[in-house]
Amino acid sequence: MVDKFDLLCIVGLILSFLLVSRLPAAPSKFGDIYFHDEAKALAHALRGAGPWSEVAFARAPGPALYYAVPYLFVSPSAPDGVYWRAALLWNGLWMAMAILLNRRAGEHLHGDLAGKIAAIISLVLPLGVYYSFGVAAETPAYVATVVFVFGWAYWRAGRDTALLSRGALVALFGLFGLILCRPNALIISGIAGLAFAAMLLQREAPYTTAEKRFAAAGAVAGIAILFFVSATLKEISGKRGVSTQASNFDTTLFLSNFQFRTEPFDWRFWGKGTRQGSADYQNYARTQKELEQESMQAGVPVSHLQVEWTRRDVAEHPWLHIKMTAVRALSLNIWLVNSTRPSAFHLGPFRGVAAYFTFHILLNIVVLTPLFLSFAFLATNREEFFAYWPLWGLWLGLLVFHAVTYAEPRYMLPAQPGLAVMAACMLARRRDVLPGSVPLSARGSELLCP
């Protein structure tokens, strides 16, 4: 049921879109073009306006499936700008749904106040809105995580805690969508398995049988999704689709040898246009060219040579790789505008270097506050730490994965819904213990976030 607060959130979201549209930086409209082209090919095939032989997935299939839906309503002969506007509207609708679902997740865990705080946090954080301006994996992955967190919260608060109950099925559906959009999110299934093992070992901890089963289901579901995606890619794209996925990972892992190698504080976007004068990028480009030449001469896939190069480098420089991993872990949680020089930065009437640094200080305060509140929430609920794995597991998993491979803060976006809910529960709990306040338990509601 939509109420006045929901409507205010939607109005706030519209204002947020208008504000973000005025920023001096914006994501590429069509990302790296893969998802846009794949979604168009799929939409055309479904409408009978294109052959099914052109439907293929070079990367994760989730974003292409997601954007194919609005593309079905665009004329096959329309220019790309029309497709982009359809995708923007589609992203906007789902971002509105995400805010409403995040509110419900907070309500299920800690009551009305926590729900409203979760919605406000989701609204104040501009990152989801920012990436909605591009045809990329960020928005569908974010939405899928919201569905996962909402389903889990609904399941946890309900009386029916069976694995085939409505809440559990919604959560598993969200997990399925998340992994389809971001295959690296599969690591959360490993964390679910670890949480399950930890709950089994801690016999005196207050973990229920239902919580243990849900964690086990999360671990098994990840493996099942992996096999399903692999089989689907083989069926639709042939072996090329699966090999492309593996090649993408090998290339990403290869980048880890150069990012922050000799320039730990050069956090510019990893690209030729934005890394001018970068010794690390030049070293990467030179090594990559050498491997490509060796690949042509020896007839060996360049991805195999990249893996071998990485193995040798890690063996020869272990401490250097530990340092790069630490820097990447830090950079994943600090958001910077890389496409605009500080002197050229402008936001409405505010311009120049002072505006640039003020903007980034405020942005990172907004981003980091829910993270620190989440730490406080987990410390407060440390006896049930592993039961809350759906809220913190994705953040930890993505942090570990990208700290070891290649880091950009946008890769952490899918972890934001869980952080928002934990932060909301923590703030609502603080309100409950203020003098004169009435705790939720005294109002007849079970305090699920004690």
Side-chain angles (χ1 to χ4, degrees):
M1 191 72 177
V2 177
D3 58 17
K4 291 182 180 179
F5 186 84
D6 289 331
L7 296 177
L8 287 175
C9 287
I10 293 174
V11 172
L13 179 68
I14 295 172
L15 295 175
S16 181
F17 267 90
L18 293 175
L19 176 63
V20 170
S21 69
R22 306 298 298 171
L23 290 175
S28 173
K29 282 188 174 182
F30 300 104
D32 52 14
I33 211 64
Y34 283 104
F35 300 135
H36 171 64
D37 286 345
E38 291 168 359
K40 279 180 64 176
L42 179 58
H44 291 175
L46 289 171
R47 294 184 54 168
W52 281 98
S53 59
E54 293 185 3
V55 177
F57 303 115
R59 298 192 177 182
L65 298 173
Y66 171 87
Y67 289 110
V69 176
Y71 284 8
L72 285 171
F73 299 93
V74 178
S75 171
S77 60
D80 281 345
V82 178
Y83 282 94
W84 176 79
R85 286 191 288 273
L88 177 61
L89 177 60
W90 182 242
N91 284 340
L93 292 173
W94 275 108
M95 285 303 298
M97 182 63 70
I99 290 177
L100 302 187
L101 289 179
N102 248 14
R103 178 190 176 187
R104 271 63 182 180
E107 287 177 348
H108 287 312
L109 291 177
H110 200 98
D112 182 64
L113 179 60
K116 289 180 177 179
I117 295 174
I120 292 172
I121 292 174
S122 302
L123 186 61
V124 170
L125 288 173
L127 308 175
V129 172
Y130 176 83
Y131 285 106
S132 294
F133 282 83
V135 180
E138 276 69 33
T139 301
Y142 177 89
V143 170
T145 308
V146 170
V147 173
F148 170 65
V149 170
F150 164 77
W152 170 79
Y154 182 88
W155 169 85
R156 180 179 169 86
R159 294 182 179 179
D160 185 4
T161 55
L163 289 180
L164 295 181
S165 65
R166 185 162 45 186
L169 291 176
V170 170
L172 293 177
F173 177 76
L175 180 62
F176 178 72
L178 172 63
I179 295 175
L180 283 183
C181 293
R182 283 289 188 196
N184 53 13
L186 185 64
I187 197 170
I188 193 176
S189 293
I191 290 177
L194 292 175
F196 171 67
M199 285 188 278
L200 287 179
L201 293 174
Q202 294 180 320
R203 298 181 182 276
E204 297 181 358
Y207 296 118
T208 66
T209 301
E211 289 171 334
K212 297 173 185 177
R213 289 176 178 174
F214 190 89
V220 174
I223 299 174
I225 293 169
L226 175 64
F227 282 108
F228 174 82
V229 172
S230 299
T232 302
L233 287 175
K234 287 182 179 179
E235 182 69 23
I236 296 178
S237 306
K239 292 183 178 180
R240 181 178 61 85
V242 180
S243 63
T244 301
Q245 292 284 339
S247 178
N248 289 338
F249 175 77
D250 294 339
T251 300
T252 302
L253 188 62
F254 179 67
L255 287 178
S256 69
N257 300 294
F258 303 95
Q259 190 184 31
F260 308 130
R261 190 181 186 94
T262 63
E263 300 167 321
F265 298 107
D266 188 344
W267 291 8
R268 290 177 294 173
F269 178 75
W270 193 264
K272 185 177 181 180
T274 53
R275 298 284 295 202
Q276 296 178 355
S278 167
D280 284 345
Y281 188 83
Q282 291 173 359
N283 188 19
Y284 156 76
R286 183 181 65 255
T287 306
Q288 175 69 12
K289 187 175 181 179
E290 292 173 353
L291 293 181
E292 289 174 353
Q293 292 174 348
E294 182 180 347
S295 173
M296 293 179 62
Q297 294 172 358
V300 179
V302 68
S303 60
H304 292 183
L305 298 177
Q306 289 173 333
V307 171
E308 285 302 317
W309 199 98
T310 300
R311 288 174 179 171
R312 291 195 304 270
D313 196 65
V314 172
E316 295 173 3
H317 309 285
W319 291 109
L320 177 61
H321 278 266
I322 292 174
K323 183 202 75 172
M324 290 189 289
T325 297
V327 176
R328 277 192 291 267
L330 177 63
S331 71
L332 283 166
N333 295 286
I334 305 295
W335 291 76
L336 299 173
V337 175
N338 290 304
S339 57
T340 302
R341 298 190 309 276
S343 59
F345 181 87
H346 65 88
L347 180 60
F350 306 102
R351 298 176 176 272
V353 176
Y356 176 87
F357 285 105
T358 301
F359 170 80
H360 281 93
I361 291 173
L362 294 176
L363 172 63
N364 283 284
I365 287 176
V366 170
V367 172
L368 292 174
T369 297
L371 178 61
F372 292 137
L373 286 172
S374 297
F375 290 159
F377 168 83
L378 293 173
T380 302
N381 296 276
R382 54 188 173 273
E383 291 184 356
E384 296 183 278
F385 177 82
F386 292 105
Y388 290 107
W389 69 266
L391 299 180
W392 56 260
L394 188 57
W395 180 85
L396 179 61
L398 292 176
L399 181 74
V400 171
F401 180 88
H402 289 290
V404 173
T405 56
Y406 169 71
E408 287 183 37
R410 65 188 175 97
Y411 295 148
M412 300 297 292
L413 182 62
Q416 290 295 329
L419 300 182
V421 170
M422 285 191 289
C425 284
M426 191 63 201
L427 289 175
R429 180 184 181 278
R430 296 289 297 176
R431 171 66 179 81
D432 288 337
V433 299
L434 288 176
S437 65
V438 181
L440 286 176
S441 54
R443 296 198 295 267
S445 300
E446 181 181 3
L447 192 58
L448 293 176
C449 296

